[in-house]
Amino acid sequence: MPERYARQELFYGIGQEGQKKLATKTVALIGCGALGCTSANLLVRSGVGCVKIIDRDYIEESNLQRQALFDEDDIKNNLPKAIAAKKKLQKINSGVIIEASITDLNPANIETILHDAHLIIDGTDNFETRFLINDYCVKNFIPWIYGACIGSVGITMTIVPGETPCLRCALQDIPPFGTTETCDTAGILSPVSSVIASIQAAESLKILTDNVASINRHLLKIDLWRNQITRLNINTLKESSNCKTCRNNQFEYLMREKYSSTTSLCGRNAVQIAPTNGSTIDLSTLASRLETIGRVSFNKYMLRLKINNYELTAFPDGRTIIAGTDDLSTAKGIYAKYIGM
Ligand SMILES: [Zn+2]
């Protein structure tokens, strides 16, 4: 379809040459929530060669307010976010390769998942994963775009290793757990995530078409309710911060042999348990074992067991999300009782 990208090729910053470059590039989106859905939609429509969607979760009704690739049928069909997004994106542009991974990015799998990505977009909801991405990208000289939203406020920063400060230059260390609000505790205005994801997509288009000179070099903060735009100058941070990651090449998040195998999913009253020994789950075998215990439904992507006040969702990669508690030991007990690995 020669007409498909006509308007984008007319734009002076891209042109036919830039369009050809886009078609050869692979972008990985870590997390397919509000930010991931919107940036994926924009990049797939723009004709990026391959878009990889990495997400660990399933769709809930409260996601539909802002996660633009999902609908009510996806929830009825028990589709994980990565699969629902892939189906929608493939309909939007059949010329783009869309890859879906239903998994949690961690130090053990990051190399395999991201090895062919030219650029990474942050659609995550936690700093542990962001610092892991930062380590990987700085080490391998891969650009990535940080994005986060809460309430009416969104923040973004573009990281081009070797050229700009990295996320750790700006944030030093992970904010102590519980001190940062999340969209599950403070809510979120959907236009904020659209704005931040649109900036992430625009930054991606610049980098992928070799227009790095045009990238945003500030920590950009936008508050759509109070009508405030703040641009924090971070140009000198790399020199002044003595950053562990980009000045001293200490990739501690990447080097972690042990990562959190049991994670409270912030504000969701749910806990994720992941096996550290790499074991996987055969969903049909598990289904036949659990059928006599409670109400079980499953497809090839996930299995769900409803029992008492809990809802267990198991994935083939070995993870189980237990909804109905945010207490780690309660969740481990339920896991041991029903999944039992
Ligand atoms: Zn740094």
Side-chain angles (χ1 to χ4, degrees):
M1 277 188 280
E3 280 293 300
R4 176 156 203 144
Y5 305 113
R7 298 300 181 276
Q8 192 163 281
E9 286 172 359
L10 271 177
F11 174 67
Y12 73 92
I14 295 189
Q16 288 187 349
E17 202 183 319
Q19 193 63 47
K20 279 185 198 145
K21 284 178 185 166
L22 282 182
T24 66
K25 300 291 167 67
T26 294
V27 173
L29 282 140
I30 317 296
C32 197
L35 291 176
C37 279
T38 298
S39 56
N41 176 40
L42 293 171
L43 292 175
V44 164
R45 288 182 193 274
S46 298
V48 169
C50 173
V51 174
K52 303 175 102 168
I53 313 271
I54 298 101
D55 191 280
R56 64 183 178 188
D57 219 339
Y58 50 86
I59 307 163
E60 296 179 296
E61 195 183 7
S62 66
N63 299 151
L64 298 182
Q65 165 245 8
R66 64 196 179 284
Q67 301 185 12
L69 293 174
F70 309 138
D71 58 41
E72 294 170 6
D73 283 345
D74 297 328
I75 297 178
K76 281 183 204 140
N77 294 328
N78 283 335
L79 292 185
K81 289 184 179 181
I83 299 297
K86 179 181 170 167
K87 284 179 193 279
K88 210 67 49 84
L89 293 166
Q90 208 69 83
K91 276 191 204 167
I92 290 168
N93 192 343
S94 60
V96 175
I97 298 165
I98 317 281
E99 294 178 7
S101 300
I102 312 158
T103 195
D104 202 14
L105 196 75
N106 62 52
N109 66 16
I110 189 167
E111 190 80 45
T112 313
I113 292 174
L114 299 182
H115 73 278
D116 56 352
H118 298 98
L119 179 139
I120 291 155
I121 294 186
D122 171 22
T124 67
D125 58 2
N126 66 86
F127 278 98
E128 192 173 0
T129 312
R130 287 188 182 113
F131 281 106
L132 176 66
I133 296 169
N134 191 60
D135 270 10
Y136 178 84
C137 288
V138 171
K139 187 180 177 198
N140 295 288
F141 290 92
I142 296 168
W144 76 283
I145 302 153
Y146 160 61
C149 300
I150 183 75
S152 60
V153 180
I155 297 178
T156 181
M157 174 180 164
T158 302
I159 295 122
V160 179
E163 182 151 345
T164 69
C166 79
L167 189 66
R168 265 195 113 171
C169 293
L171 301 183
Q172 306 288 338
D173 281 298
I174 291 185
F177 187 73
T179 58
T180 50
E181 287 193 300
T182 73
C183 59
D184 298 294
T185 57
I188 179 164
L189 207 60
S190 68
V192 174
S193 50
S194 297
V195 167
I196 295 299
S198 296
I199 294 170
Q200 288 180 302
E203 293 294 291
S204 303
L205 293 177
K206 294 173 193 172
I207 293 168
L208 297 172
T209 56
D210 298 328
N211 286 294
V212 174
S214 302
I215 60 166
N216 160 42
R217 288 167 196 268
H218 292 82
L219 184 67
L220 185 62
K221 184 176 166 193
I222 298 176
D223 186 330
L224 290 185
W225 207 255
R226 297 178 188 87
N227 311 304
Q228 292 166 343
I229 298 180
T230 315
R231 294 168 83 220
L232 191 69
N233 192 332
I234 50 173
N235 286 330
T236 57
L237 271 185
K238 194 175 172 187
E239 286 69 35
S240 62
S241 72
N242 196 26
C243 172
K244 277 184 188 169
T245 313
C246 67
R247 292 264 289 180
N248 298 300
N249 287 338
Q250 291 172 14
F251 305 112
E252 53 187 350
Y253 287 86
L254 212 50
M255 302 303 286
R256 278 188 187 183
E257 282 178 21
K258 282 202 173 133
Y259 46 94
S260 327
S261 61
T262 306
T263 317
S264 180
L265 302 178
C266 55
R268 272 192 43 197
N269 198 30
V271 173
Q272 170 182 277
I273 297 183
T276 46
N277 60 1
S279 61
T280 55
I281 297 178
D282 182 315
L283 296 185
S284 55
T285 310
L286 183 63
S288 53
R289 184 154 65 78
L290 295 176
E291 258 159 9
T292 52
I293 296 170
R295 196 146 57 87
V296 174
S297 56
F298 78 104
N299 55 30
K300 63 179 173 176
Y301 309 115
M302 61 193 214
L303 174 148
R304 184 161 285 159
L305 168 69
K306 287 187 182 175
I307 188 151
N308 303 326
N309 294 321
Y310 303 111
E311 187 180 83
L312 282 73
T313 306
F315 298 94
D317 71 348
R319 291 175 306 114
T320 300
I321 293 176
I322 295 153
T325 180
D326 56 10
D327 181 69
L328 300 185
S329 53
T330 305
K332 278 184 188 169
I334 298 165
Y335 179 84
K337 196 168 172 184
Y338 300 112
I339 310 292
M341 284 189 302

